[in-house]
């Protein structure tokens, strides 16, 4: 009785931390920003200087 079709799974993009040697990955840009602000503040400051 195939009345309903299954929806295809959502395509999630995996974001990796830009810091060298860090293995953090996530799929939400907000979570990645929180991680870099907390774990790698020097990286966040360098990005802000470039703007």
């Amino acid at each position: 009785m195939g009345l309903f079709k299954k929806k295809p799974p959502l395509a999630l993009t995996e974001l990796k931390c830009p810091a060298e040697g860090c293995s953090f990955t996530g799929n939400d840009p907000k979570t990645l920003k929180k991680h870099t602000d907390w774990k790698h503040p020097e990286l966040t400051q360098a990005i802000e200087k470039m703007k």
Side-chain angles (χ1 to χ4, degrees):
M1 303 253 332
L3 297 176
F4 300 101
K5 292 186 178 181
K6 289 185 178 179
K7 291 183 181 179
L10 296 174
L12 296 176
T13 56
E14 191 168 298
L15 304 171
K16 188 173 185 315
C17 181
E20 188 174 329
C22 183
S23 62
F24 178 81
T25 57
N27 57 2
D28 184 23
K30 289 180 184 178
T31 306
L32 182 63
K33 174 142 177 49
K34 286 181 183 179
H35 166 77
T36 54
D37 290 346
W38 175 70
K39 192 79 172 181
H40 311 288
E42 69 282 351
L43 181 65
T44 306
Q45 292 169 359
I47 290 172
E48 288 176 1
K49 286 182 182 179
M50 290 174 49
K51 289 182 180 181

